[in-house]
């Protein structure tokens, strides 16, 4: 595509588009990047550059770009039944078959799905469903949901409130009432002198303290991502989840595991909860459910919760696109690809161990204070001083590094002073080598700039 074509698209952006999570003035001064097509793990921009997409879009294109089977599944379903809904005692085959397929892969005892259009809607659903559940059980005062600082659960009012992103809370009066937050299990950034497991127990114990502070009979649920994604690929110490489980059981509150990023193979298991051996009560899902080819989310719900909902009369909640037939058909085909091509097993046994071994080599780089990861997730902590974990002064190193990534044909995400990856699950060992070479080159260039 010519420069003038790129400028044409950029002008349209300036004149008409309000993109998400964007400083509009800053973007307009610079011009947006135009992505035109994609195949496998690669994107092509309007200048013809081939870019290795180490973020799988936004943590979602699990089976990679360009899967014709997904295109065909959508076209077939559009011809057959492009739209119908699940309201008013009707249903359609794609949503029913998908609900069954999800129940098959979900943790034991989680056999029902409430469909939504996105991960944010899934978390809005969770908030309403959990409060409805406790009301049916005769404990309507159990309303409070405890989340975590720097957790991410979406951008609707409920999602932003359940999440712990302070910048988001600062806009639009979030969090709404009835939501509390505790610290995140971010050992590298907040663990101080404690060893990881001591720190894991310490932050998990905040849940108990918060429950007692709020009043044990007022707490409905705890919500957390198995591994925080948008917060910077924060992997809890081994001691964290077992301790959380003990506290959940002690007070009989519900556990909501937000699987929007970890679900559908990201950790080398179907769900992040499988990786940690957790048994949640509700699991919001989205992203990898359709590999991002169409928007779809949902909440997978434990049988005991469903049994209570069955006794509660009408649940006044749902979306026009809940269980959309075309999205459901694409999700079904996506699950078939993941299953039949044994993509998650390959991640678990082969490509994730390879990625993680090569990723940890980056810890030798002078800029890298920690290289961590699980499955097809990774983070690098950029520091000025590895011993003291001192960071570079504002604006830091990560934004510089991200610019070098774009220049070197690589998409990584910068979160604070971390560089993070979440590549398509189908990435090959050769492509992982290319990724590591590019990251090394970008780190070298960043080190030259910030020194
Ligand atoms: N829960 C989690 C754990 C997420 O990561 C959502 C809910 C919301 O999903 P929707 O489909 O409503 O976006 C998410 C989304 C980033 C980034 O920059 C992360 C997400 C979305 C957009 C950007 O890391 N996660």
């Amino acid at each position: 595509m010519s420069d003038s074509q790129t400028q044409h698209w950029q002008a349209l952006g300036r004149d008409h588009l309000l993109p998400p999570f964007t400083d509009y003035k800053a973007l307009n001064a610079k011009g947006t990047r135009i992505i035109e097509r994609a195949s496998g793990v690669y994107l092509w921009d309007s200048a013809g550059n081939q870019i290795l997409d180490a973020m799988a879009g936004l943590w979602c294109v699990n089976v990679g770009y360009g899967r014709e089977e997904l295109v065909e599944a959508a076209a077939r379903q559009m011809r057959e039944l492009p739209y119908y809904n699940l309201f008013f005692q009707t249903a359609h085959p794609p949503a029913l078959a998908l609900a069954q397929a999800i129940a098959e892969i979900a943790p034991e005892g989680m056999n029902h799905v409430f469909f939504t259009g996105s991960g944010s809607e899934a978390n809005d659903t969770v908030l309403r469903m959990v409060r409805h559940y406790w009301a049916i059980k005769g404990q309507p005062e159990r309303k409070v949901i405890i989340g975590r600082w720097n957790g991410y659960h979406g951008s609707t009012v409920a999602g932003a409130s359940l999440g712990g992103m302070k910048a988001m809370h600062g806009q639009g009066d979030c969090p709404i009432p009835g939501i509390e937050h505790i610290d995140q299990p971010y050992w590298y950034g907040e663990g101080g002198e404690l060893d990881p497991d001591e720190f894991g127990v310490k932050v998990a114990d905040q849940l108990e303290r918060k429950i007692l502070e709020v009043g044990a009979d007022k707490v409905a649920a705890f919500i957390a991502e198995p591994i925080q994604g948008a917060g910077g690929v924060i992997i809890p110490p081994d001691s964290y989840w077992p301790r959380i489980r003990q506290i959940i059981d002690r007070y009989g509150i519900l556990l909501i595991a937000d699987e929007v990023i970890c679900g559908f193979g990201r950790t080398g298991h179907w769900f992040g909860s499988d990786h940690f051996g957790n048994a949640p009560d509700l699991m919001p899902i989205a992203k990898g459910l359709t590999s991002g080819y169409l928007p779809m989310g949902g909440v997978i719900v434990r049988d005991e919760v469903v049994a209570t909902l069955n006794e509660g009369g009408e649940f006044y909640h749902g979306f026009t696109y809940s269980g959309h037939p075309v999205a459901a058909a694409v999700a079904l085909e996506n699950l078939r690809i993941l299953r039949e091509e044994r993509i998650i097993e390959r991640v678990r046994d082969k490509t994730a161990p390879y990625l993680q071994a090569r990723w940890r080599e980056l810890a030798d780089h002078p800029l890298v204070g920690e290289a961590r990861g699980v499955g097809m997730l990774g983070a690098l902590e950029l520091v000025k001083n590895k011993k003291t974990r001192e960071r570079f002064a504002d604006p830091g190193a990560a934004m510089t590094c991200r610019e070098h990534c774009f220049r070197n044909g690589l998409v990584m995400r910068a979160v604070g002073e971390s560089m993070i990856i979440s590549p398509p699950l189908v990435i090959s060992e050769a492509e992982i080598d290319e990724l590591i070479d590019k990251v090394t080159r970008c780190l070298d260039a960043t080190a030259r700039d910030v020194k």
Side-chain angles (χ1 to χ4, degrees), residues 150-351:
N150 201 39
Y152 190 80
H153 301 295
S155 189
T156 51
V157 172
S161 296
L162 293 166
M165 300 285 177
K166 290 190 176 148
M168 292 175 77
H169 289 176
Q171 293 175 339
D173 289 342
C174 289
I176 53 172
I179 293 173
E180 299 281 336
H181 297 87
I182 61 171
D183 285 339
Q184 56 179 336
Y186 178 25
W187 176 74
Y188 189 82
E190 299 172 0
E193 298 302 311
L194 297 179
D195 77 38
D197 281 332
E198 284 169 348
F199 176 70
V201 167
K202 181 171 171 233
V203 282
D205 281 347
Q206 285 190 16
L207 178 60
E208 179 161 42
R209 242 176 295 138
K210 184 59 86 176
I211 290 171
L212 295 173
E213 178 192 315
V214 171
D217 54 351
K218 294 201 170 53
V219 179
F222 175 60
I223 183 168
E225 301 150 82
I227 293 168
Q228 284 155 263
V233 182
I234 290 163
I235 304 162
D238 292 342
S239 61
Y240 182 78
W241 276 113
R243 187 72 160 205
I244 290 284
R245 184 75 247 177
Q246 284 173 4
I247 298 166
I248 298 271
D249 290 344
R250 192 171 306 149
Y251 295 94
I253 65 174
L254 297 173
L255 173 60
I256 306 158
D258 185 336
E259 294 276 358
V260 168
I261 283 178
C262 291
F264 305 98
R266 182 67 39 210
T267 64
H269 300 269
W270 277 102
F271 295 97
S273 295
D274 301 328
H275 173 82
F276 290 108
N278 267 344
D281 299 296
L282 300 103
M283 301 200 312
I285 53 172
K287 295 191 189 273
L289 170 60
T290 58
S291 283
Y293 279 57
L294 280 176
M296 184 176 226
V299 184
I300 312 179
V301 185
R302 181 163 292 285
D303 297 349
E304 292 92 278
V305 176
V306 174
T308 301
L309 295 178
N310 283 341
E311 301 306 315
E314 181 168 348
F315 182 33
Y316 300 107
H317 178 75
F319 308 101
T320 302
Y321 299 129
S322 285
H324 191 286
V326 182
V330 168
L332 256 179
E333 184 64 10
N334 178 58
L335 296 188
R336 187 196 64 73
I337 291 172
L338 286 171
R339 221 175 24 238
E340 289 183 11
E341 296 183 9
R342 301 183 65 76
I343 289 172
I344 298 173
E345 290 85 343
R346 184 164 153 269
V347 165
R348 186 191 63 205
D349 299 337
K350 198 156 172 265
T351 46

Side-chain angles (χ1 to χ4, degrees), residues 40-41 52-65 227-230 232-233 260-267 287-288 355-356 359 372-380 410-415 419-427 432 435 439:
V41 299
L52 175 57
D53 182 8
M55 281 307 296
L58 268 181
W59 323 77
C60 56
V61 187
N62 288 10
V63 298
Y65 297 97
I227 293 168
Q228 284 155 263
V233 182
V260 168
I261 283 178
C262 291
F264 305 98
R266 182 67 39 210
T267 64
K287 295 191 189 273
L355 170 70
Q356 295 302 336
W359 190 249
R372 61 171 179 268
V374 163
M376 284 289 161
L377 287 166
L380 302 174
L410 173 66
V411 175
M412 282 207 276
R413 195 140 133 41
V415 178
M419 298 305 299
I420 63 187
I421 56 161
S422 170
L425 305 186
V426 294
I427 192 169
I432 290 170
L435 167 67
V439 175

